[in-house]
Amino acid sequence: MNRITGSTRICGIIGDPVEHSMSPVMHNAAFEALGLNYVYLPFRVHREGLKAAISGMRALNIAGLNVTIPHKMAVIPLLDKLDLLAGRIGAVNTIANENGELAGYNTDASGFLQALRAQGVESEGKRIVILGAGGAAKGISFILAEAGASLVILNRTLYRAKELASQIAQDCQRKMEAMTLNEANLKRAFDRADILVNTTSVGMTPDVDRSPVPGNLLGSRLVVSDIVYNPLETRLLREAKAAGARTIDGLDMLVWQGALAFEKWTGQKAPFEIMKQAAIKALQDEK
Ligand code: ATR
C-alpha cells in the first residue's frame, strides 16, 4: 500500500453502490507502480449527497474523481467545465481538478476507442453494429460517430434505438440506422459490417449461457467486442474466437477508461498492463 504523507493527493470514486468497483485496486496499483504519492478511495454517495460531495471535492482539493451510477448525469451542472463529447453524451464518469476548476470528461467513451486502437483497429469509415441502446451504447455510439464510423444500432426495444440514432444523426451530422434486435436484422446488419459491439447485459453472470448473437452469424472478418467483463470471456466472445474473429473484452474497455482518467489526474502515462492485472486479480478474489 502507498505510504500516506502530508502531501499525498487524493482521488476516488463516487457512486451508489461502489463496493464492487474495480477502480480502487486498478488506480492504487498504478500509483504504486509509478511511485506517485496518490491514493484512490471509494466514496459511497447517495443521490441527495451529490451536491455536498462535489463541494467537498473543491474544499478538500481532491485531485480527481470517477463518477458512477446514479450520478453520471446529475453531476454535470455542478462542474465548471465540460468536455464537448461528455456534454453531447450527457454523462460524465471522470472529474479532474484542474487548478481548482472541476472539469468533466467521459473516458468510458474515449476508453472504448482506445481499446479498439490498442488492437490496431481504427474506426474511421468502418461500419459498426451496436447491440443495445442504453447508457453504455450512447457513449460508445457518439464517440464512434465522431471518429467517422457509420453505425447500425439494434435494440430489443426499437424506439430506444431510434431515439439514439436520431440524436447522433442530429449532433454528429451522420446517418445512423436503427433496427429491432432479432436474427433477421442481425443478418442484414452483418452484411458489410466490420465491428460488432455488445452493450447489452446479455451473457453477464449468471446468464453465462446466453449470447445476443447466434454463433453461426459470426465470421472471421468481424472485430467483436463485449462490454460485459463478468465473465471475462462471454459466450459471444468465445463463439467469435471460434469463428476466427478478433475480440476485445469488457475488461480492456474498463481498464482503458481508468487509464485515461489516470492520465488526466497525474499527467503521466498509465501503466495499462499493471492496471489490467490488478483488475483481473480483483475479479478472481471476488469469486
Ligand atoms: P447501460 O447503461 O449499462 O447501457 P441500460 O441503460 O439499462 O444499461 O441498458 C441496457 C441495454 O441492454 C438496453 O439496450 C436493453 O434493451 P432494452 O432497451 O430493450 O431494455 C438491453 N438488454 C437488457 N437485457 C436484455 C435482454 N435480455 N435481451 C436483449 N437486450 C437486453
Side-chain angles (χ1 to χ4, degrees):
M1 187 63 203
N2 302 1
R3 190 184 297 254
I4 309 283
T5 68
S7 51
T8 299
R9 307 249 25 220
I10 297 171
C11 295
I13 181 166
I14 54 169
D16 187 14
V18 290
E19 287 82 351
H20 296 289
S21 169
M22 231 109 59
S23 296
V25 293
M26 279 198 300
H27 285 284
N28 286 317
F31 294 146
E32 199 170 348
L34 296 195
L36 297 175
N37 193 0
Y38 278 70
V39 64
Y40 188 107
L41 302 168
F43 298 111
R44 183 170 181 189
V45 173
H46 299 291
R47 269 181 208 280
E48 317 78 63
L50 178 64
K51 209 170 164 186
I54 298 302
S55 300
M57 180 183 190
R58 292 180 197 279
L60 300 173
N61 195 26
I62 288 175
L65 288 177
N66 281 128
V67 182
T68 188
I69 291 165
H71 305 310
K72 287 187 184 189
M73 283 186 244
V75 80
I76 290 177
L78 305 174
L79 304 176
D80 304 313
K81 292 193 288 190
L82 188 59
D83 168 74
L84 179 70
L85 192 73
R88 281 186 177 165
I89 295 168
V92 159
N93 81 309
T94 298
I95 308 173
N97 187 339
E98 298 174 355
N99 301 316
E101 278 197 307
L102 302 187
Y105 299 95
N106 191 310
T107 71
D108 288 328
S110 48
F112 177 72
L113 206 60
Q114 201 58 45
L116 282 179
R117 287 205 178 121
Q119 296 282 329
V121 181
E122 285 300 327
S123 321
E124 190 174 357
K126 297 285 164 50
R127 192 172 153 85
I128 303 184
V129 178
I130 309 267
L131 310 181
K138 191 173 181 186
I140 288 171
S141 301
F142 264 89
I143 199 144
L144 289 173
E146 277 287 308
S150 68
L151 306 183
V152 189
I153 300 167
L154 287 90
N155 195 42
R156 177 176 62 180
T157 313
L158 180 61
Y159 86 86
R160 290 186 81 194
K162 282 189 167 164
E163 230 167 55
L164 179 56
S166 73
Q167 210 183 341
I168 292 167
Q170 198 172 19
D171 288 1
C172 306
Q173 262 84 61
R174 296 191 73 84
K175 197 174 168 301
M176 302 294 146
E177 288 174 64
M179 298 192 233
T180 306
L181 177 53
N182 60 37
E183 191 165 341
N185 285 339
L186 278 169
K187 248 188 211 150
R188 263 202 287 165
F190 282 171
D191 189 31
R192 295 182 295 120
D194 303 293
I195 302 171
L196 167 69
V197 189
N198 175 46
T199 76
T200 74
S201 48
V202 178
M204 192 189 293
T205 301
D207 247 353
V208 293
D209 292 332
R210 294 185 62 210
S211 167
V213 179
N216 61 320
L217 297 186
L218 299 166
S220 62
R221 50 182 290 272
L222 273 179
V223 174
V224 178
S225 60
D226 198 333
I227 67 161
V228 173
Y229 59 79
N230 196 0
L232 206 47
E233 187 174 73
T234 56
R235 179 170 177 185
L236 171 64
L237 293 184
R238 193 165 64 242
E239 292 181 344
K241 275 183 195 162
R246 253 191 301 171
T247 60
I248 298 173
D249 64 48
L251 198 61
D252 279 337
M253 295 180 224
L254 178 79
V255 178
W256 274 114
Q257 102 19 68
L260 296 181
F262 179 95
E263 290 173 10
K264 294 207 179 298
W265 299 332
T266 65
Q268 307 244 6
K269 192 168 153 39
F272 178 86
E273 268 312 314
I274 284 170
M275 295 175 83
K276 182 157 181 177
Q277 288 312 315
I280 288 173
K281 186 167 180 306
L283 273 177
Q284 285 165 349
D285 289 350
E286 260 199 2
K287 287 197 178 132

